[in-house]
Amino acid sequence: MEVVIVPDATAGGELIAEAIAALLGRKPDALLGVATGSTPLPVYRALASKAASGAVDASRARICQLDEYVGLPAGHPESYRSVVLREVIEPLGLSETAFMGPDGAAEDVQAACEAYDRALAEAGGVDLQLLGIGTDGHIGFNEPCSSLASRTRIKTLTQQTRIDNARFFDDDIDQVPHHVITQGIGTILDSRHPILLATGEGKAEAVAQTVEGPVASIVPASALQLHPHATVVVDEAAASKLKLADYFRATYAAKPRWQGL
């Protein structure tokens, strides 16, 4: 696992956008896994800016969803499909045909989960998966004590996660769904390059447990330690509880440019 400490969220977004641009340069039709929430917005803004300026050609990129609420109609403004279309697909000038996501409104949710897992594999697998992290260490919606081998499935949200997400629903927790479809931890680990972005002091403890703690289902993100090419990008605030922060700074400063992110 590589840990990169950046000054702030904007710098983190630019760094990851550069990695995506480099990937698209090598593989124009790369399958990019995207996360929702406020944390990845600097990445999407930086990538859209690069596309608009001609610095990167994203016209053949494919986009896939990490998770989706169960029960919200596809057109609901806070369905993750709507969020991805609004924040990623439209700014990059892509059409909906470039987009893959699970059907949170399906009559048979379990079948929809299995179908999405198959679709990702049939698409050749996810080349780069962007991740956020919850204050309890969850990735996707794999809450604490999720199986580290789990596949795409339905999960029940913890009360803390629903409280955290209420800000997207006019601070009304009663509007936040209780269930989601999420890529499992095993599904996430199938991606060729998972990149976790964390910003703010509120994520510092989860980051420390993920990076420096044991691999344990109580901190789902710690499973990234098992991946051969996982990257954790954190701002100074989110890095504030890392015991090896100075080491991470030194190793990144000495990294050859040709290695990329």
Side-chain angles (χ1 to χ4, degrees):
M1 176 186 288
E2 179 179 31
V3 180
V4 182
I5 301 173
V6 295
D8 51 35
T10 300
E14 181 64 29
L15 182 67
I16 296 172
E18 288 175 2
I20 294 172
L23 170 62
L24 291 173
R26 300 190 304 271
K27 186 177 182 181
D29 65 344
L31 181 57
L32 307 175
V34 296
T36 53
S38 54
T39 300
L41 292 179
V43 178
Y44 305 145
R45 285 194 287 264
L47 187 61
S49 177
K50 290 180 184 299
S53 70
V56 60
D57 180 3
S59 62
R60 293 172 57 195
R62 297 172 295 155
I63 307 296
C64 66
Q65 224 171 314
L66 182 61
D67 40 40
E68 180 59 276
Y69 286 117
V70 170
L72 291 185
H76 189 287
E78 293 307 325
S79 75
Y80 286 144
R81 181 183 184 89
S82 293
V83 172
V84 171
L85 290 174
R86 188 167 63 241
E87 296 176 351
V88 183
I89 299 292
E90 292 173 7
L92 290 178
L94 300 175
S95 70
E96 288 194 45
T97 58
F99 174 76
M100 297 172 57
D103 184 1
E107 215 170 287
D108 187 338
V109 178
Q110 182 58 38
C113 295
E114 294 169 2
Y116 188 51
D117 220 54
R118 285 195 305 272
L120 292 175
E122 290 167 0
V126 180
D127 291 293
L128 185 151
Q129 178 62 61
L130 184 59
L131 301 164
I133 187 171
T135 54
D136 59 2
H138 74 251
I139 50 174
F141 275 115
N142 296 286
E143 300 285 17
C145 290
S146 291
S147 165
L148 302 187
S150 55
R151 309 302 303 181
T152 301
R153 69 214 190 285
I154 185 171
K155 287 292 290 182
T156 301
L157 298 181
T158 65
Q159 182 71 357
Q160 183 59 56
T161 296
R162 294 182 69 238
I163 289 170
D164 290 346
N165 285 8
R167 68 189 188 277
F168 300 113
F169 292 84
D170 299 322
D171 290 320
D172 182 1
I173 192 172
D174 291 334
Q175 294 186 44
V176 182
H178 285 269
H179 298 96
V180 290
I181 292 174
T182 183
Q183 286 187 35
I185 296 173
T187 310
I188 291 169
L189 292 179
D190 282 346
S191 64
R192 295 178 181 86
H193 187 189
I195 301 180
L196 187 152
L197 175 63
T199 56
E201 189 175 357
K203 302 294 178 70
E205 182 61 33
V207 167
Q209 291 295 324
T210 293
V211 172
E212 297 176 339
V215 175
S217 63
I218 193 68
V219 183
S222 67
L224 293 174
Q225 294 181 36
L226 302 173
H227 196 283
H229 186 201
T231 304
V232 176
V233 178
V234 291
D235 68 359
E236 290 289 350
S240 61
K241 294 189 177 182
L242 289 172
K243 296 176 182 177
L244 297 177
D246 288 342
Y247 171 73
F248 297 138
R249 291 189 184 94
T251 54
Y252 185 68
K255 183 179 182 179
R257 285 183 178 273
W258 55 263
Q259 282 189 325
L261 190 62

